[in-house]
Amino acid sequence: MSDWRRYDSHLIPAFHERFEQRWGAGTAPFLDPEAHEQPLPRAQWINPATGAALAVVPVWTADERQQRSFGVFYLPPAGDIWVLRPGFTGYLEPSDGDTEHLVTLRNDAFRKAVGHAKEFLFGTQ
């Protein structure tokens, strides 16, 4: 039995801290736990036995907020942060007046990233 559990509360601050320690201040607005308008969907898991965590979150740059992808980030118990590669999960964030088609693309990209995260945590079923 796996000790991994879904974590549906706020984004864990350690994701932001470790990312910025590794790649510099301001490089991870998508992981900032203080951001009050976090785009959804996102998913997190924690392993209370080891202290490890994993998150699937929308990723964007300061220059392009509509072009996004989903990142899968793993926090090993001993520190650091790993960026897992789920393959292409790019999508356009729907803006006012955009069609439902863009929401479908976003949701498909999210399902792909979550599937990759679950395979990392639980193996293939």
Side-chain angles (χ1 to χ4, degrees):
M1 170 121 181
S2 175
D3 288 330
W4 287 97
R5 304 282 183 260
R6 280 291 306 257
Y7 183 78
D8 293 323
S9 193
H10 297 292
L11 192 61
I12 299 169
F15 284 105
H16 189 248
E17 293 165 9
R18 290 188 193 177
F19 194 98
E20 287 197 338
Q21 282 174 353
R22 189 163 188 192
W23 287 289
T27 56
F30 45 86
L31 291 174
D32 187 353
E34 299 298 318
H36 297 289
E37 294 182 20
Q38 293 222 4
L40 296 175
R42 66 174 193 206
Q44 295 179 96
W45 293 265
I46 60 170
N47 187 324
T50 65
L54 188 128
V56 174
V57 298
V59 175
W60 66 91
T61 66
D63 298 334
E64 183 56 75
R65 293 180 118 358
Q66 193 177 15
Q67 297 263 350
R68 296 192 180 166
S69 64
F70 283 98
V72 181
F73 302 97
Y74 172 68
L75 299 179
D80 202 9
I81 185 169
W82 299 357
V83 180
L84 306 180
R85 305 287 181 213
F88 182 74
T89 60
Y91 68 98
L92 290 174
E93 183 66 20
S95 59
D96 292 339
D98 276 336
T99 66
E100 191 173 315
H101 174 70
L102 293 179
V103 173
T104 300
L105 291 176
R106 179 200 63 200
N107 292 344
D108 289 346
F110 178 68
R111 278 191 286 279
K112 181 178 181 179
V114 167
H116 182 76
K118 286 182 175 179
E119 187 174 319
F120 177 80
L121 295 176
F122 306 112
T124 56
Q125 304 291 344

